Amino acid sequence: MDDPSSDFGRELLARGVSRREFLGFCTSLAVMIGLPRSASAAIAEAIENNPKPTLVWLNFQDCAGNTESFLRASKPTAAEVILDLISIDYHEVIMAAAGHQAEANLRSVVESQSGQYIAVVEGSIPTGAGGAYMTVGGRSALQIANEVCGNALATIAAGTCASFGGIPAASPNPTGALGISDAVPGIKTLINLSACPVNAQNLTATLVYFLTYSKWPPLDHLNRPLFAYGKSIHDNCERRAHYDSGQYVEQWGDEAHRDGQCLYKMGCKGPVSFQNCPNIGWNDNTSWPVACGHGCIGCAEPDFWDKMTPFYEHLPGFPGFGRGSDIDKIGFWGTLGVTGAFAAHTLTHLGKRLVQNGGDKAQEGPPASTPLDEGDEK
Amino acid sequence: MTHIVVDPVTRIEGHLRIEAEVDGGKVANAWSSSTMFRGIEIILQGRDPRDAWAFTQRICGVCTTVHAIASIRAVEDAIGAKPPPNARLLRNLIIASQCIQDHVIHFYHLHALDWVDIVSALEADPHETSALAQSISDWPKSSATYFKGIQDRVKSLVERGQLGPFANAYWGHSAYKLPAAANLMAVAHYLEALEWQREFIKIHAILGGKNPHLQSFLVGGMATPVDPDAQASLNIHTIAHFKKLIAGAQEFVSQVYVPDLLAVASFYKDWAGYGAGVGNYMVYGEYPLDDEPSPELYIPSGVIRNRDISKVEEFDPSKITEQITHSWYDYEGGDGQALHPSEGETSPNYTGPEPPYQRLDTSRKYSWLKSPRYDGVPMEVGPLSRMLVSYVRGHEKVQGLVNHVLGTLGVGPEALFSTLGRVAARGIETQVLVDKIGDFVDDLASNMGSGELRIHDNSKWEPSTWPDDCTGAGFHEAPRGALGHWVRVQDGKIARYQCVVPSTWNAGPRDSGGMPGPYEAALVGTPVADPEQPIEILRTVHSFDPCMACGVHVVDSGGREVTRVKVR
């Protein structure tokens, strides 16, 4: 790429992106996907030389928040390059064609590039009312998903709705909404990028991973890349020292809140939420929810609209508590009645995760106290 | 008579289908159908009202703040919480920046390709484009070399045969009127706007932790602490960052967006004669400037009927009703009823064709949208309504800009009642807001400097402080228009929730009297040169900036218990 006469070099120059900026971008991607910094050269080479893969983006029961997030991809100039290296042949929010011309574009990809294109799904898939809760061009979401995802090289679920059903699937799930894995079982390669919305950095990094290694990243038991979902929010939280010291925000706007202390008592779900927000931030690492002063709502976890609510009730006690453990015990007993159901769901879920992760997080896992075990069985 | 179906209508938020009959080269009749339903209000039943904002926020990820704002206002109204002055200022900052960013994205990324022929830009002489750009603006990115670089990029897409999102559109259609040089300038600014919106919206990341779906809203205030002397609060760094982002927005809007708007509009003046619509305009008002129960609003409320800009009526929320004659819902008292949102009831009942289908039976029910009415008549909401009401009410800034735009284009005020009028009003509003938003930052900085650090009304945080049974309404001007949420809280839980949303007002189907909604009315008379390539239909529909996920909602069942399904 040092050669400015190459296509890629010319494109970068046309966009005002210097070689130094481009390599900086590749390095940050390498770090984010868990590779040594030295891998940045391999990433740069892959971006420069691999042919543009085709991508189609399907919007189902959605809010377009994942699309908007994608449009905010950070490292802007280099992310533009990434966009340009993928041919997005169908995306209802940005495409110029409409109506039957738009439908023809999608049909053309499915027919002429079967097994070679990447499908991105945004939004859940309703199964009620014979599919009539969501149609495009008179076809139901399920009909479209079966055809498009069924013939794709890989399917990426962007956001929690596409991954696990998300908000339409929240109780009482009026439309019978499902995530793509339940709606179209047996998809051969499925990557869930849950979060509400997906963090654009995780989406672009997943694509770069594929371009670099010609394979998809290793996934957790929920089909999420380990480079983005391998650790809890709590483990990487910038306020973790305050948690360990028992320094908590008690009221919105109090001195502890202004001082950036722990939001656990205000309902933060960071301890049971797995995502890399504290590491990569949002909007070009400008901030993330806990840094701005509000607790995590666990938006990357399955059924979070039911399992993480009420959002402002704090989690039951956790081991590893430091000097603040007495404060927590009071809070724990006081809220046990309210959070009993929450505790049951969360801990069952967390327990499963720990088992499937090989138990390497056991020392920071669920509380061993019997009251919680009883709560679990309620 | 030719029957046209446009589905999907692209470059919008959500899922919209337009069916139209074309006769003699013009639309004779049109039907607007929303084809997606989620049922978020049903999901809200029985939940903690302090959580509601996060749920309703997910109605839309494009106007990602609007349902959160309306929700916290509705719950605060119900329980009697009083957000402190800093919360009002933080919200005004969020609302104004949302509107500014949304309008720019709409103009360049959702609407421009109806007026700008990308393929034609390949034939442009970059020197001509440079001369054109420099004649309308001081924007520095205007050299022939710069535009040549942009042109080469587009060329490479075409030569590689990978047009991606620009493939198979209406390029070369006779309705495109811009000279090649102007098309190239617009393509360059399409790409620049894509960069700019990412940068500007960092203001939301600062104020809400992330965008989309900011996470700092609270019933009773905001969750972002303010303290000029604290590291973990909005502090003096933040104030400086706000000012920088706002200065960038002022430059982009006044040197790129507004000049482009005027340049493009000057080639499409005939579109001031199409797309008028229902001719009634409604505004709830926005940007409270004080903390009184009925604060002064920077953008005032009001209602204009029958295109009569000699007077403005006061807005009266009791006159709002919704009908379902042509919507896939049932009313217990019969489908002919018109119910106020606070009394609303809905049960979805799909009676349309089984997918896959070719045609909807528009004589029966044909949309997931309801038909909202004000005093029994349809209302258009959005930037055009806001600028008209402000104009008639004597808003100095708005009057000056409206007169400037009309004068530049050489048209009279009647030109505002049109497809082009909507596009112009959106640009005018953006300029008004980039010139105002800095005041909210200054007021916030001033409060912080004087030791006013409150961000939240803690006195009403605990449910034990709430009345056992209370109701509230929250009103907001979203980028796309008037938005209202109505809530009833019983024993600390949501007993009823309803949203009446801008795109429901604008995109709703016919009512019980057969009166069309604003999209449907605006499309009648729109010319269609080639029914196979109905670009003109897209122009008028896009001028409203459709946001369909917002438009589709369902209310509770009037207090009836909704059985909660056990969570897995």
Side-chain angles (χ1 to χ4, degrees), chain A residues 93-94, chain B residues 11 104-112 190 193-194 197:
Chain A
V93 183
I94 58 171
Chain B
R11 282 179 283 124
V104 171
I105 289 183
H106 176 263
F107 182 75
Y108 286 102
H109 307 122
L110 304 183
H111 204 13
Y190 175 106
L194 205 52
Q197 57 88 22

Side-chain angles (χ1 to χ4, degrees), chain A residues 11 14-15 52-54 59-65 68-74 76-77 79-80 83-84 87-105 126 129-140 143 164 167-175 182 196-197 239 251-253 257-260 266 282-284 286-289 291-297 299 303-307 309-313 345, chain B residues 5-15 17 35-40 42-43 47-48 50-51 53-55 58-62 101 105 109-110 113 149 153 156-157 160 162-171 190-191 194-195 197-198 201-202 205-213 215-218 222-227 230-233 241 348 350 353-357 368 453 455-456 458 461 532-533 538 549 562-565 567-568:
Chain A
E11 263 185 35
R15 290 159 177 275
K52 253 172 125 171
T54 297
N59 291 78
F60 293 139
Q61 271 183 314
D62 72 313
C63 72
E68 286 285 334
S69 190
F70 186 46
L71 296 179
R72 311 278 188 276
S74 59
T77 47
E80 264 275 273
L83 280 174
D84 209 37
S87 189
I88 302 181
D89 287 9
Y90 186 87
H91 191 317
E92 287 165 33
V93 183
I94 58 171
M95 68 193 298
H100 65 80
Q101 283 92 349
E103 291 185 283
N105 288 4
Y133 287 127
M134 165 40 232
T135 62
V136 177
R139 291 199 299 161
S140 71
Q143 288 161 348
F164 309 126
I167 192 166
S171 172
N173 194 349
T175 60
D182 290 329
C196 191
R239 300 187 180 205
Q251 280 196 326
W252 303 110
H257 194 209
R258 298 201 300 279
D259 191 44
M266 307 310 280
W282 285 77
N283 301 89
D284 205 10
T286 302
S287 187
W288 64 289
C292 109
H294 191 284
C296 167
I297 62 170
C299 72
D303 305 317
F304 81 96
W305 295 104
D306 294 319
K307 291 179 178 171
T309 50
F311 289 130
Y312 301 100
E313 296 290 352
H345 291 308
Chain B
V5 176
V6 186
D7 181 5
V9 174
T10 51
R11 282 179 283 124
I12 63 165
E13 194 293 322
H15 303 281
R17 173 186 181 97
T35 63
M36 192 266 277
F37 170 81
R38 285 176 293 174
I40 286 174
I42 289 175
I43 291 164
R47 295 186 187 261
D48 187 329
R50 294 172 298 180
D51 289 350
W53 68 262
F55 285 77
R58 268 64 182 188
I59 289 174
C60 185
V62 175
Q101 191 237 18
I105 289 183
H109 307 122
L110 304 183
L113 301 182
R153 281 204 49 234
S156 82
L157 282 181
R160 275 186 288 181
Q162 286 193 303
L163 270 169
F166 308 117
N168 203 22
Y170 307 136
W171 315 128
Y190 175 106
L191 296 171
L194 205 52
E195 301 295 314
Q197 57 88 22
R198 272 191 285 249
I201 212 59
K202 286 179 181 173
I206 298 166
L207 288 162
K210 64 189 177 71
N211 170 288
H213 296 331
Q215 201 162 304
S216 59
F217 299 102
L218 291 176
M222 294 296 291
T224 33
V226 298
D227 186 340
Q231 287 183 29
S233 295
H241 200 167
Y350 183 75
E354 190 184 328
Y357 59 82
W368 283 116
L453 305 181
I455 52 167
H456 187 251
N458 291 311
W461 182 245
E532 275 298 301
Q533 300 200 326
L538 291 181
V562 173
T563 311
R564 296 288 294 268
V565 175
V567 181
R568 275 179 285 155

Side-chain angles (χ1 to χ4, degrees), chain B residues 147-294:
Chain B
F147 288 119
K148 175 76 168 56
I150 299 289
Q151 192 178 39
D152 287 347
R153 281 204 49 234
V154 178
K155 220 172 250 173
S156 82
L157 282 181
V158 175
E159 282 165 2
R160 275 186 288 181
Q162 286 193 303
L163 270 169
F166 308 117
N168 203 22
Y170 307 136
W171 315 128
H173 194 288
S174 63
Y176 283 118
K177 303 290 188 199
L178 290 184
N183 281 318
L184 178 55
M185 180 180 75
V187 170
H189 293 169
Y190 175 106
L191 296 171
E192 285 179 44
L194 205 52
E195 301 295 314
W196 171 83
Q197 57 88 22
R198 272 191 285 249
E199 182 63 23
F200 176 65
I201 212 59
K202 286 179 181 173
I203 201 166
H204 274 187
I206 298 166
L207 288 162
K210 64 189 177 71
N211 170 288
H213 296 331
L214 290 69
Q215 201 162 304
S216 59
F217 299 102
L218 291 176
V219 167
M222 294 296 291
T224 33
V226 298
D227 186 340
D229 305 315
Q231 287 183 29
S233 295
L234 300 188
N235 57 22
I236 200 64
H237 282 298
T238 320
I239 297 292
H241 200 167
F242 285 158
K243 290 192 176 224
K244 185 179 177 209
L245 291 170
I246 289 168
Q250 270 182 314
E251 280 176 18
F252 191 83
V253 170
S254 58
Q255 293 183 31
V256 183
Y257 177 17
V258 171
D260 280 358
L261 168 64
L262 291 170
V264 171
S266 68
F267 289 92
Y268 290 104
K269 284 193 216 170
D270 49 334
W271 283 84
Y274 306 126
V278 296
N280 304 316
Y281 303 91
M282 183 177 71
V283 182
Y284 295 164
E286 194 49 87
Y287 308 107
L289 300 176
D290 59 62
D291 301 286
E292 300 302 314
S294 296

Side-chain angles (χ1 to χ4, degrees), chain A residues 6-22:
Chain A
S6 74
D7 283 352
F8 187 78
R10 271 200 304 272
E11 263 185 35
L12 284 175
L13 283 175
R15 290 159 177 275
V17 179
S18 70
R19 173 75 178 171
R20 179 195 295 253
E21 284 172 319
F22 175 70

Side-chain angles (χ1 to χ4, degrees), chain A residues 125-371:
Chain A
I125 295 172
T127 55
Y133 287 127
M134 165 40 232
T135 62
V136 177
R139 291 199 299 161
S140 71
L142 191 56
Q143 288 161 348
I144 297 168
N146 271 320
E147 181 186 299
V148 177
C149 301
N151 287 297
L153 168 72
T155 297
I156 297 174
T160 299
C161 291
S163 298
F164 309 126
I167 192 166
S171 172
N173 194 349
T175 60
L178 297 175
I180 187 77
S181 60
D182 290 329
V184 187
I187 292 178
K188 60 176 186 236
T189 302
L190 172 68
I191 295 163
N192 287 328
L193 298 177
S194 57
C196 191
V198 65
N199 190 327
Q201 289 255 62
N202 289 333
L203 180 53
T204 52
T206 300
L207 295 170
V208 169
Y209 198 106
F210 175 71
L211 289 172
T212 307
Y213 297 116
S214 301
K215 64 176 184 182
W216 298 98
L219 309 172
D220 71 5
H221 70 292
L222 295 169
N223 278 30
R224 307 181 300 188
L226 293 174
F227 72 75
Y229 301 89
K231 291 188 91 170
S232 76
I233 297 270
H234 192 56
D235 284 349
N236 288 323
C237 183
E238 64 203 44
R239 300 187 180 205
R240 177 62 184 266
H242 291 296
Y243 174 92
D244 291 339
S245 304
Q247 295 174 319
Y248 302 104
V249 177
E250 304 277 348
Q251 280 196 326
W252 303 110
D254 68 8
E255 201 178 334
H257 194 209
R258 298 201 300 279
D259 191 44
Q261 296 184 12
C262 178
L263 290 159
Y264 163 81
K265 294 178 86 173
M266 307 310 280
C268 183
K269 304 298 185 288
V272 289
S273 303
F274 289 73
Q275 205 186 168
N276 54 353
C277 300
N279 310 92
I280 65 167
W282 285 77
N283 301 89
D284 205 10
N285 209 1
T286 302
S287 187
W288 64 289
V290 167
C292 109
H294 191 284
C296 167
I297 62 170
C299 72
E301 300 306 309
D303 305 317
F304 81 96
W305 295 104
D306 294 319
K307 291 179 178 171
M308 301 290 181
T309 50
F311 289 130
Y312 301 100
E313 296 290 352
H314 77 66
L315 291 166
F318 259 69
F321 245 88
R323 276 158 286 179
S325 56
D326 54 330
I327 298 171
D328 184 65
K329 277 177 196 155
I330 296 164
F332 168 60
W333 289 111
T335 56
L336 182 61
V338 184
T339 58
F342 177 87
H345 291 308
T346 305
L347 295 174
T348 307
H349 175 61
L350 188 63
K352 277 183 199 159
R353 178 199 303 279
L354 288 165
V355 170
Q356 289 174 38
N357 280 356
D360 57 344
K361 291 191 181 65
Q363 66 274 27
E364 43 187 74
S369 61
T370 46

